[in-house]
Amino acid sequence: MSDTLELTRELIRRPSITPDDAGCQDLLQGRLDAIGFTGATLRFGEVTNLWSRRGDDGPLLVFLGHTDVVPTGPEARWQSPPFQPTERDGLLYGRGSADMKGSVAAFVTACERFVARHPNHRGSIALLITSDEEGPAVDGTVRVVEELQRRNIRIDWCLVGEPSSESIVADTVKHGRRGSLNGRLRVRGVQGHVAYPHKARNPIHQAMPALVELSARQWDQGNASFPPTTFQISNLNAGTGATNVIPGEVELLFNFRFSTESTAESLQQQVEAVLDAHGLEYDLAWTLSAQPFLTEAGTLVDATRAAIHDITGRDTALSTAGGTSDGRFIAPTGAQVVELGPVNASIHQIDEHVDIAGLDTLSRIYERVLERLLTDQPRR
């Protein structure tokens, strides 16, 4: 059993459903202590965060990850217990195996081998690990970044272990993410009897033309790095449950995943202009979950792509697709950010799993990134 597989199994055994770390970070820091890292636990509310660093000088490379996992869903539907790591047909099953305890384990084992070979490496290495990535994400990475800024600690490069790969480990690297803007819209009408519609005002009927217009609108064309901005209605609720009552209001939730060609402010203005043009009586609350970010080709992107080729012999694709990640909290500080992790096909699903051989490949790639960035003569 490889060190990376063994550590991944130990992490899976800890039922660390958000925001409970369940002792994962203590396990990690114990391994890091042995190779000269100094760790600090930063607790905010119910969330546990680990900041562990080796070295005092720049440049600073940070491995960013999380130990929390989403709930298991019905455990009876799992082929094996979700917190009992189980190997079948070259795959390791367990909640968090792909998202992202496998990556976190690979961070640590990569650091162990790198430090053994390069004890006097230049710059610094750090791990920032939270138990709040899968939850509200208000007391996790974002709070640690605020603390680091208060200490005048500047991150140069950040490698996020999110499961970025599509078919095989390292076939895709995320070098940016779209923004995420949420809206909660309530359109008010007048409740009444369906047989007397002239005495009521149906908010569903009133809202539909505006929603059709919003759904059909092209918000931007995207660009070379981002697809066009998308608008999706995720929830729509109205009515009393009776078939003979016109509801008094309809409430819906919608989301924009937006490129760097749009801004949150411009999208808000356009939506409100459509609603006003249709004469709706409404309340609208906005929540900005993430601004878009992009790391252009440069030191970190180049080192990551080269490391992948060194280890696998393959070229990798750059992508900004998918949801948000905690990289959104690092990028605004000026750091270069990329995401590289296991295949994402089973994340958040029943019987989540990760390719066992891929874990070792990932750890070797991380080690190679360290060599390319923090040594003068990278080992081949």
Side-chain angles (χ1 to χ4, degrees):
M1 184 183 298
S2 75
D3 288 346
T4 306
L5 173 58
E6 183 177 8
L7 182 53
T8 303
R9 290 173 60 94
E10 286 299 314
L11 291 170
I12 291 172
R13 289 191 181 98
R14 291 160 169 77
S16 53
I17 297 173
T18 309
D20 185 8
D21 170 68
C24 291
Q25 293 176 26
D26 287 341
L27 173 64
L28 299 174
Q29 187 56 47
R31 297 280 288 259
L32 295 170
D33 283 342
I35 55 172
F37 280 72
T38 300
T41 298
L42 304 173
R43 291 189 176 88
F44 303 104
E46 297 179 321
V47 175
T48 305
N49 303 288
L50 175 65
W51 171 255
S52 186
R53 178 170 178 170
R54 187 181 198 273
D56 299 314
D57 300 326
L60 170 60
L61 169 64
V62 171
F63 289 108
L64 175 63
H66 61 90
T67 49
D68 59 319
V69 299
V70 297
T72 63
E75 293 196 21
R77 292 179 54 195
W78 286 70
Q79 295 183 61
S80 51
F83 296 111
Q84 178 180 305
T86 304
E87 298 174 38
R88 294 192 297 273
D89 302 321
L91 302 175
L92 174 64
Y93 288 80
R95 176 56 87 221
S97 55
D99 189 13
M100 59 179 290
K101 292 182 175 181
S103 298
V104 171
F107 288 164
V108 173
T109 56
C111 288
E112 288 173 336
R113 293 192 308 276
F114 174 75
V115 169
R117 294 186 176 114
H118 307 281
N120 299 314
H121 62 83
R122 71 188 186 96
S124 301
I125 315 165
L127 271 70
L128 195 172
I129 310 293
T130 184
S131 68
D132 187 36
E133 198 274 346
E134 301 289 8
V138 296
D139 285 328
T141 301
V142 63
R143 295 290 299 275
V144 178
V145 169
E146 291 171 356
E147 179 63 25
L148 296 180
Q149 290 178 319
R150 280 194 289 271
R151 300 181 188 180
N152 294 317
I153 296 174
R154 180 181 180 275
I155 299 172
D156 296 283
W157 306 305
C158 179
L159 196 159
V160 190
E162 285 294 329
S164 65
S165 304
E166 296 293 333
S167 300
I168 190 170
V169 167
D171 61 0
T172 305
V173 169
K174 301 292 176 66
H175 68 132
R177 291 282 190 163
R178 295 173 295 174
S180 179
L181 175 65
N182 302 290
R184 180 183 292 270
L185 173 66
R186 183 177 65 181
V187 177
R188 296 187 297 275
V190 176
Q191 184 172 318
H193 197 293
V194 296
Y196 302 93
H198 58 288
K199 295 184 177 181
R201 191 171 77 250
N202 192 321
I204 300 176
H205 292 186
Q206 288 190 305
M208 283 303 176
L211 298 182
V212 169
E213 182 176 339
L214 292 172
S215 299
R217 175 169 293 208
Q218 187 165 36
W219 303 91
D220 59 46
Q221 300 291 326
N223 54 40
S225 298
F226 288 92
T229 292
T230 61
F231 168 87
Q232 288 292 310
I233 297 171
S234 57
N235 288 264
L236 193 151
N237 297 287
T240 64
T243 60
N244 60 351
V245 178
I246 294 172
E249 65 180 36
V250 58
E251 183 175 89
L252 60 131
L253 306 179
F254 61 86
N255 175 267
F256 284 101
R257 293 301 165 108
F258 63 100
S259 76
T260 50
E261 296 297 308
S262 292
T263 65
E265 293 75 18
S266 70
L267 296 173
Q268 293 174 24
Q269 291 168 4
Q270 291 179 72
V271 169
E272 291 168 8
V274 170
L275 300 177
D276 292 340
H278 285 270
L280 300 181
E281 184 180 342
Y282 67 92
D283 299 311
L284 178 54
W286 294 100
T287 304
L288 179 62
S289 300
Q291 294 280 10
F293 71 89
L294 181 71
T295 296
E296 301 283 2
T299 307
L300 181 59
V301 170
D302 294 349
T304 303
R305 299 185 80 177
I308 291 168
H309 192 273
D310 290 345
I311 300 303
T312 69
R314 299 189 303 269
D315 294 327
T316 191
L318 296 178
S319 171
T320 60
T324 61
S325 79
D326 275 5
R328 69 191 189 271
F329 302 126
I330 305 293
T333 70
Q336 298 177 40
V337 180
V338 298
E339 301 176 25
L340 172 60
V343 173
N344 54 30
S346 67
I347 60 175
H348 291 205
Q349 295 183 9
I350 300 293
D351 288 333
E352 179 182 350
H353 57 270
V354 67
D355 177 64
I356 291 173
L359 290 174
D360 288 322
T361 300
L362 194 61
S363 179
R364 290 169 61 209
I365 293 170
Y366 292 160
E367 180 187 7
R368 198 74 183 88
V369 171
L370 284 164
E371 289 176 335
R372 284 192 163 270
L373 292 174
L374 299 183
T375 66
D376 295 326
Q377 297 293 327
R379 181 181 59 86
R380 290 192 177 276

